[in-house]
Amino acid sequence: MSDTILLQIHEPGETPAPHESERGLAVGIDLGTTNSVVALARDGKAEVLRGPDGDGLVPSVVFYADDGSVTVGRQAREAILETPDHVVSSIKRLMGRGLEDVKTVAGTLPYKVEVAPEGGMVRLDVAGRVMTPVEISADILRAIKARAEEAQGKAVDRAVVTVPAYFDDAARSATKDAARLAGLEVLRLVNEPTAAALAYGLDTSVEGLYAVYDLGGGTFDISILKMEKGVFQVKATGGDAALGGDDVDHAIAEYFLAERGAALGEQAISPGEVKQALMTARVAKECLTARVDGEWRIEVDGKGSLHPLDRDTLERLASPFVDRTIEICRAVGADAGIEISDIHGVVLVGGSTRMPLVRRRVAEFFGRQPLSNINPDEVVAVGAALQAEALTVGSDTLLLDVTPLSLGIETMGGIVEKVIPRNTPIPVAMAQEFTTYQDGQSAMSIHVVQGEREMVDQNRSLARFVLRGIPAMTAGAARIRVTFQVDADGLLTVSAQEMTTGVEQHVAVKPSYGLTEDEMADMLRSALEHGRDDMAQRILAESVVEANRSVLAVRAALKVDSDLLSDDERQAIDAAIERVEAATRGTDRDAVTAAVEALEAATKSFAEKRMDRGIRQALSGVSVDALGNALGGDEQSQER
Amino acid sequence: MTAQAAAVSPCWSCKGPVASRALFCSVCGAVQGPGAVDHFSRLGLRPTFDLDMDELERQYFGFQRRLHPDRFAGKSPRERALSQSQATALNEAYETLKDPLKRAAYLLRLLGREVDLTACGTINDPELLMEQMEKREAIAEAESVEAITRLSAAADADVLADVCHVSAAFNAGDLDEAARLTMRLKYLTKLAEEARARKARMTRALP
């Protein structure tokens, strides 16, 4: 009997969560550097939601007009040529980035990065507006949400959003903030290669060790997964969050601009020329996938220049970037102790894997032809949609992912002490003890970093906080335990505690380059006219979930132990349940909370009687086994 | 209170009695906290050094299927937090038991014979010290891919051999010997990692 209850509750597919049908849709979103895609899954089948023209890709480009209106997608991309300073593209490259990072990538971005000095987060000056990458990404997500709502004729309020596996904590956090700003509850951040593997695994029921090679517009990821009977276990992952097809475009554009400079006898290059050259470069690169040569024309300000390009030259220009991806594949394999020959197959993901050079090099390195039967531009969104369905409706599949980068803290001399090594399965919690280095030291500054290098300044700084109130002790006597916790989204929380006194401090790591809660609240208010409503609704929904849980729990208890109650007591409990149910049908969150509290009070003595009986039975040794029915050991037989 | 009474505690959700080690309440079905059990019990395994890796993985997957936060995405915050603690505990158990070195050290601790693997102190065993120095030197000086490949394979073989010896020591109930061999395993593992890293670097350097 207890088994049936377990099944009912833990196979959500059989008992859809209450209100599930009333809620908005949950979609999967691949928020890409160059293009974004949205998909929706029903009954284990995912479908890419397309625009009126049948295209699934929404260019991740935003046009900010002087009148304040915002356009996303193809039209925005076309506006690049007319008004380059009103258009933002490749914003993903700046997610979670600080001033220092921007200097290193600014040269490769197709627009001018204006950096406002206040705060840690980069701000862009576009068409007279100062915006963070989070707000710009939120504009893209809003457009995607609107596309999905239009396609389905139904509200969309929840999503699985994918991120490159190699995204650090700051970039993940920024992505989650962007979705919130766009009015989407993030069910889970899923790593792009893992999402792709899910799409492949379910579609073709592959088994064994697989590599997912994901070369997108701006990011490269390689993940090695074990796929087995619905479990997708990431064994190792690696990549480069600033390497992708954009780099190839840039190399071609430079080549074109050098030719153009020579042909026209010009020295200075205008921003318009750069954007035009980049656009032409992308077209040329895409054309040379099918053809071996061609000629392209760049015309800016009435001056035209002709640029022939063949595939050999393209491959010469692209080769350094592809070499680097292969290098990373080799390192990840070696790091995880996996022989390349043990890998059963390679899945290609990302538009840049259409390049013949990439396919050739990947096939050479892995010693087998890569799989690409699912559209590499859409496969990540398909996987994300499947995961969104799994999280809301239920599923037999399970994704087990890892931390892509080591997490640690700064110790004396600027050396990093690793607390969680890379490729550790998440969620994870690990602690390390540190001590003071001065007599009577009363505070300790804790600097959280992410990366593989030994010295702090070579890694990514995530957050700094101070643990105060350490009692005066001699140097080395205090024991400060720093605990790192990474949740299933890959997001980090750090807490520190002085062990001899119990002084404690918790910080959800709001990365140095992220938004503060206040900034976030301000943005939610100003960006969304229904921002407040959305928030209130979400809080109400949470209370209703909690209230339903209470009622179910009491009902289950009544079924088993109602003989402990007198008629009066029973009636009081039934009445309290009814009041909770009535409250959950309304919209008053306080009424829901009050009714739940009243139910708790009404069942207090019932709970005590149940505990008494349970302990009595345990003492007499009869029913520990019965109580232990839910122990893991019993279920293993079900698993097999 | 007897051990049996202590084995029952109130379910946080329906407030009724639930076995302390239960994953779910048998009455209301709510997920429970991970509880303080050893890594072997957590994964439903017998405490032994000679684990069947396939079985370990099967058990780990089986528990994660039921307890992973993805299974609780639509549930109340408390249930989500508990499932995260459960999954975290499962990951810790899996990571510890999967690795022979960590498994050996953990089992020694369970058996009351602690070895400190994090201590980067000196090697007390002069024989081990000599052996380590010689091998480290050979790895650092290897000039051809053939040479480093051979050394790397030899280092891997040493690790495997030591794992067999650790197993034999546990089976013979000789914990001192098991502890000595576990320390040795720590150094051999490190050596094998160095060899692998150097091999990777040298292979990459080839045209």
Side-chain angles (χ1 to χ4, degrees):
Chain A
M1 146 128 201
S2 63
D3 279 350
T4 6
I5 288 173
L6 282 176
L7 279 176
Q8 281 169 0
I9 291 174
H10 296 283
E11 298 293 337
E14 293 175 23
T15 51
H19 301 280
E20 187 57 48
S21 51
E22 298 160 25
R23 293 209 57 174
L25 298 170
V27 296
I29 297 175
D30 172 8
L31 181 62
T33 310
T34 318
N35 294 298
S36 296
V37 183
V38 55
L40 175 71
R42 280 200 188 93
D43 305 324
K45 292 263 176 284
E47 181 199 347
V48 171
L49 303 179
R50 294 168 198 286
D53 56 354
D55 195 347
L57 304 187
V58 179
S60 304
V61 182
V62 194
F63 169 65
Y64 293 95
D66 288 323
D67 65 2
S69 66
V70 179
T71 313
V72 174
R74 202 163 301 282
Q75 280 170 299
R77 198 168 68 186
E78 280 155 13
I80 288 181
L81 297 179
E82 305 278 316
T83 48
D85 55 336
H86 283 54
V87 178
V88 181
S89 56
S90 296
I91 193 62
K92 189 173 176 180
R93 291 196 143 189
L94 292 185
M95 289 297 267
R97 295 295 176 122
L99 303 179
E100 284 308 308
D101 309 304
V102 173
K103 284 185 194 142
T104 65
V105 294
T108 67
L109 292 168
Y111 51 85
K112 230 164 113 192
V113 182
E114 299 282 348
V115 176
E118 83 268 19
M121 188 183 255
V122 179
R123 281 160 170 82
L124 304 184
D125 197 339
V126 188
R129 285 206 250 173
V130 178
M131 280 177 296
T132 63
V134 171
E135 290 166 280
I136 295 164
S137 296
D139 282 329
I140 298 171
L141 286 167
R142 268 188 212 105
I144 289 170
K145 180 175 183 265
R147 162 176 284 208
E149 287 174 340
E150 209 164 292
Q152 295 297 312
K154 215 177 159 201
V156 170
D157 58 4
R158 291 164 298 163
V160 165
V161 181
T162 59
V163 289
Y166 218 57
F167 248 18
D168 62 29
D169 189 76
R172 280 169 201 267
S173 205
T175 304
K176 206 169 178 181
D177 285 347
R180 266 172 78 195
L181 210 51
L184 288 166
E185 178 191 338
V186 178
L187 292 164
R188 184 75 74 233
L189 294 177
V190 173
N191 291 329
E192 286 159 12
T194 314
L198 181 61
Y200 263 94
L202 293 186
D203 200 53
T204 53
S205 59
V206 289
E207 301 240 312
L209 217 49
Y210 278 74
V212 180
Y213 176 102
D214 178 357
L215 187 61
T219 55
F220 171 67
D221 279 332
I222 171 78
S223 287
I224 300 173
L225 296 100
K226 182 173 180 180
M227 305 198 209
E228 194 180 88
K229 296 182 184 71
V231 178
F232 298 75
Q233 183 194 25
V234 179
K235 292 285 188 187
T237 196
D240 186 333
L243 173 66
D246 283 3
D247 294 304
V248 176
D249 297 351
H250 202 76
I252 302 169
E254 267 176 23
Y255 177 80
F256 284 170
L257 286 171
E259 279 185 341
R260 182 176 163 91
L264 299 177
E266 283 174 357
Q267 299 293 314
I269 300 165
S270 71
E273 279 180 302
V274 173
K275 293 215 175 186
Q276 175 73 282
L278 273 169
M279 222 163 187
T280 312
R282 177 158 49 231
V283 172
K285 178 185 76 178
E286 283 167 10
C287 283
L288 290 178
T289 290
R291 283 159 46 181
V292 292
D293 57 14
E295 193 171 47
W296 288 271
R297 184 178 167 78
I298 296 179
E299 189 163 327
V300 180
D301 302 330
K303 282 183 256 179
S305 52
L306 275 180
H307 304 276
L309 187 70
D310 59 25
R311 197 185 279 169
D312 285 348
T313 312
L314 167 70
E315 294 192 347
R316 188 168 53 74
L317 293 169
S319 204
F321 305 107
V322 181
D323 285 350
R324 174 131 175 75
T325 66
I326 298 294
E327 249 351 291
I328 296 171
C329 292
R330 195 194 308 280
V332 168
D335 185 44
I338 290 167
E339 294 293 334
I340 298 304
S341 55
D342 290 342
I343 294 175
H344 295 174
V346 191
V347 172
L348 293 183
V349 182
S352 301
T353 60
R354 288 215 170 80
M355 289 175 67
L357 172 68
V358 171
R359 292 188 176 222
R360 221 163 53 228
R361 296 294 309 278
V362 170
E364 257 167 42
F365 179 74
F366 287 97
R368 60 187 68 243
Q369 279 308 315
L371 303 168
S372 57
N373 41 323
I374 306 184
N375 182 337
D377 286 319
E378 297 180 351
V379 64
V380 169
V382 165
L386 291 167
Q387 184 65 0
E389 191 187 32
L391 292 174
T392 50
V393 183
S395 118
D396 291 333
T397 60
L398 181 64
L399 304 185
L400 298 171
D401 224 313
V402 298
T403 50
L405 294 153
S406 301
L407 290 155
I409 79 173
E410 174 175 359
T411 60
M412 289 296 293
I415 294 170
V416 178
E417 173 76 24
K418 281 182 188 164
V419 179
I420 299 181
R422 67 168 178 272
N423 291 332
T424 301
I426 52 173
V428 61
M430 284 190 192
Q432 195 95 281
E433 276 191 12
F434 298 89
T435 189
T436 46
Y437 71 101
Q438 270 176 353
D439 287 345
Q441 188 176 340
S442 67
M444 182 181 254
S445 164
I446 291 168
H447 182 199
V448 183
V449 296
Q450 188 163 32
E452 307 313 318
R453 309 289 294 274
E454 240 171 77
M455 302 304 292
V456 165
D457 50 14
Q458 295 163 334
N459 289 299
R460 185 108 175 84
S461 165
L462 286 182
R464 289 173 194 273
F465 68 99
V466 177
L467 178 71
R468 291 180 203 286
I470 302 173
M473 279 186 254
T474 52
R479 284 167 50 224
I480 288 133
R481 194 177 168 82
V482 179
T483 307
F484 279 41
Q485 207 167 350
V486 179
D487 67 15
D489 287 326
L491 293 172
L492 173 69
T493 314
V494 181
S495 58
Q497 188 176 20
E498 205 290 301
M499 298 305 282
T500 56
T501 57
V503 171
E504 195 168 2
Q505 188 126 9
H506 276 278
V507 276
V509 171
K510 263 295 173 183
S512 316
Y513 303 125
L515 296 170
T516 64
E517 272 305 310
D518 287 350
E519 280 178 301
M520 188 70 205
D522 281 350
M523 284 179 182
L524 276 174
R525 262 194 295 278
S526 61
L528 269 174
E529 61 267 41
H530 343 279
R532 218 186 289 252
D533 290 355
D534 266 27
M535 206 95 112
Q537 232 162 43
R538 200 158 301 156
I539 292 168
L540 175 67
E542 291 258 287
S543 326
V544 170
V545 169
E546 175 58 21
N548 287 330
R549 186 210 44 82
S550 292
V551 170
L552 283 176
V554 173
R555 286 240 167 88
L558 286 171
K559 220 178 223 175
V560 183
D561 287 328
S562 58
D563 62 306
L564 291 169
L565 294 169
S566 70
D567 286 351
D568 286 354
E569 287 169 319
R570 175 68 196 244
Q571 272 166 22
I573 292 176
D574 285 343
I577 289 179
E578 263 172 46
R579 277 195 293 276
V580 173
E581 289 184 326
T584 58
R585 283 191 292 270
T587 55
D588 182 352
R589 189 213 165 203
D590 292 339
V592 176
T593 317
V596 170
E597 273 165 20
L599 175 61
E600 225 152 81
T603 53
K604 191 158 178 289
S605 80
F606 179 43
E608 281 161 8
K609 286 180 189 162
R610 293 178 60 218
M611 273 310 290
D612 283 350
R613 173 144 84 187
I615 289 171
R616 261 201 321 280
Q617 286 175 341
L619 284 172
S620 63
V622 280
S623 67
V624 174
D625 284 347
L627 295 172
N629 263 347
L631 270 176
D634 291 337
E635 276 106 36
Q636 283 140 38
S637 44
Q638 293 177 10
E639 291 297 340
R640 284 176 203 158
Chain B
M1 275 246 179
T2 68
Q4 279 154 328
V8 180
S9 51
C11 163
W12 64 272
S13 177
C14 76
K15 313 288 192 295
V18 58
S20 304
R21 290 178 50 208
L23 302 175
F24 298 95
C25 174
S26 58
V27 172
C28 74
V31 65
Q32 305 293 307
V37 296
D38 71 81
H39 294 330
F40 292 99
S41 315
R42 183 163 324 276
L43 291 171
L45 296 164
R46 237 168 17 89
T48 167
F49 180 74
D50 300 329
L51 278 188
D52 173 350
M53 286 299 120
D54 288 340
E55 192 189 3
L56 170 67
E57 206 142 88
R58 215 164 39 235
Q59 293 291 93
Y60 168 67
F61 288 167
F63 281 101
Q64 283 287 23
R65 269 180 194 279
R66 308 173 48 78
L67 294 165
H68 192 274
D70 283 1
R71 293 286 184 263
F72 297 83
K75 301 279 178 164
S76 67
R78 177 83 184 259
E79 285 167 291
R80 293 203 304 259
L82 287 170
S83 100
Q84 178 170 319
S85 311
Q86 285 279 12
T88 300
L90 288 173
N91 279 335
E92 189 190 346
Y94 174 67
E95 285 290 286
T96 306
L97 298 187
K98 185 177 75 170
D99 176 49
L101 176 58
K102 288 185 194 156
R103 184 168 71 241
Y106 181 75
L107 188 57
L108 282 166
R109 206 175 93 206
L110 277 189
L111 298 169
R113 178 71 177 76
E114 195 113 7
V115 287
D116 189 2
L117 291 182
T118 54
C120 34
T122 46
I123 305 180
N124 291 325
D125 181 343
E127 206 178 316
L128 178 59
L129 180 67
M130 276 304 288
E131 185 192 337
Q132 286 292 304
M133 280 170 57
E134 278 168 19
K135 286 185 176 161
R136 185 151 299 158
E137 218 172 276
I139 289 169
E141 284 169 3
E143 273 171 2
S144 65
V145 171
E146 290 73 40
I148 190 68
T149 304
R150 204 169 50 240
L151 286 169
S152 175
D156 288 343
D158 286 348
V159 169
L160 274 180
D162 195 73
V163 167
C164 290
H165 295 142
V166 171
S167 157
F170 273 119
N171 288 331
D174 187 346
L175 295 189
D176 286 341
E177 179 67 355
R180 189 186 71 80
L181 290 165
T182 300
M183 274 316 266
R184 181 174 154 78
L185 184 58
K186 177 193 161 178
Y187 290 103
L188 292 175
T189 306
K190 205 162 161 228
L191 205 66
E193 278 165 13
E194 272 170 32
R196 208 175 299 138
R198 179 149 169 88
K199 184 181 150 191
R201 276 198 304 276
M202 289 179 67
T203 319
R204 191 166 46 206
L206 281 184

